[in-house]
Amino acid sequence: MAKKKISGRCRICGSIGDLSFEHVPPRAAFNDRPVIRVNLEIALSLGPDELLTGQVQQRGMGDHTLCIPCNNNTGSWYGGNFVDWCYQGMEILRRSGGNPSLFYLNYLFPLRILKQIITMFFSVNIDGFQDKNPELVRFVLNKETRYLSPGYRFFVYYNVEGRHRSVGIVAGLRLDGRGDGPAVFSEITSPPFGYVMALDNRPPDDRLYEISRFADYGYNEFRVEEIRLPVLPTHTGVPGDYRSKDQVLREAGVKSPE
């Protein structure tokens, strides 16, 4: 039985036509198992121990968001090196028992990794995001393009516990109580990493490790970098919420189990 074609507007180039399924993150980056999809409104209402109910998506996280050329090009240009980065991160977490406290060597092509991350953010944001951010479109669709305006900042953290999150641009108050206004950002969490794209120079949490400088490297520039990332849980569906389970329950007035 032939698969039903999904048509629409590509979230990167804006062309209208058949859309391919874009795994976010790529399928080979530990995204090949069934997931349950829930909308943000439902996710925001769930506590740390509440079970998800909803549509089961057998192929992993993702959606029909990109035209075939954009999917094929970004996958071939950036996908393989991004998967390598994820495997390195998972191995570091395995060796450290999920609690890396040292600087670890990372062998990477920084520009390719960042461009794959931005490709993912195009997919989790609504149609129209590409129209408002033509600089990011050019950055992703030309593999050699370097540098980004300082208004775009990108962050990463290790994630080993909690919920997967895939959230388009939101404006949220920082839960650490710092700052004088909301942070405007988008977030993708899928172990071993979580990623944040901040659009107003303000991340939702100061513990996040910034990788915006990855945009300054050349496409074929390979680096060995010492990186130490924070390990942050995601026990709620609230973007930018990295509280421990005990803290979430305590602030909700629920006694944590002994």
Side-chain angles (χ1 to χ4, degrees):
M1 180 177 174
K3 293 183 179 179
K4 181 181 178 180
K5 290 186 177 182
I6 305 295
S7 297
R9 190 164 182 254
C10 176
R11 300 280 177 87
I12 297 180
C13 72
S15 64
I16 298 175
D18 291 341
L19 298 177
S20 58
F21 188 91
E22 171 72 354
H23 282 86
V24 179
R27 186 175 184 273
F30 309 105
N31 183 24
D32 58 352
R33 297 183 179 182
V35 295
I36 297 176
R37 295 186 57 164
V38 297
N39 62 37
L40 181 58
E41 183 179 355
I42 294 174
L44 292 176
S45 68
L46 294 173
D49 296 318
E50 292 186 69
L51 295 178
L52 292 175
T53 58
Q55 176 189 354
V56 177
Q57 190 160 280
Q58 297 290 341
R59 62 176 71 183
M61 295 198 305
D63 208 342
H64 291 83
T65 58
L66 303 185
C67 67
I68 294 173
C70 281
N71 197 338
N72 289 344
N73 287 337
T74 57
S76 63
W77 292 339
Y78 318 130
N81 296 114
F82 177 84
V83 170
D84 289 343
W85 149 266
C86 291
Y87 269 82
Q88 290 179 62
M90 192 66 82
E91 178 62 14
I92 289 170
L93 289 171
R94 186 193 67 80
R95 294 202 319 259
S96 65
N99 187 31
S101 58
L102 305 173
F103 285 89
Y104 288 87
L105 292 178
N106 285 254
Y107 302 85
L108 63 159
F109 287 88
L111 184 68
R112 301 183 191 186
I113 291 168
L114 181 60
K115 290 196 178 198
Q116 178 61 48
I117 292 169
I118 295 173
T119 297
M120 290 155 49
F121 277 118
F122 274 116
S123 284
V124 303
N125 276 278
I126 63 172
D127 180 29
F129 177 80
Q130 70 274 57
D131 300 323
K132 296 179 180 179
N133 296 277
E135 181 179 354
L136 292 183
V137 174
R138 292 190 296 269
F139 185 74
V140 166
L141 292 186
N142 186 331
K143 68 179 184 179
E144 302 288 349
T145 297
R146 302 164 63 183
Y147 311 116
L148 283 171
S149 300
Y152 295 110
R153 296 180 69 189
F154 296 88
F155 302 84
V156 63
Y157 58 93
Y158 283 129
N159 178 258
V160 294
E161 60 176 313
R163 302 187 184 281
H164 291 214
R165 294 201 292 236
S166 181
V167 185
I169 294 296
V170 295
L173 293 175
R174 291 171 53 119
L175 295 178
D176 58 9
R178 300 177 183 178
D180 55 0
V184 179
F185 65 98
S186 183
E187 184 180 33
I188 299 168
T189 304
S190 180
F193 295 119
Y195 305 96
V196 168
M197 174 176 63
L199 297 186
D200 66 347
N201 279 323
R202 301 182 63 251
D205 193 296
D206 288 337
R207 293 172 291 176
L208 301 174
Y209 182 88
E210 185 164 6
I211 57 171
S212 305
R213 59 186 173 81
F214 282 14
D216 300 341
Y217 294 97
Y219 177 76
N220 290 316
E221 195 167 350
F222 177 80
R223 302 288 294 181
V224 180
E225 298 212 3
E226 287 189 332
I227 297 176
R228 182 169 67 183
L229 304 181
V231 182
L232 303 176
T234 52
H235 288 295
T236 74
V238 179
D241 182 2
Y242 309 114
R243 293 173 295 168
S244 68
K245 181 186 290 188
D246 286 345
Q247 185 179 358
V248 173
L249 294 175
R250 184 171 63 251
E251 294 179 3
V254 178
K255 185 178 180 181
S256 59
E258 297 294 337

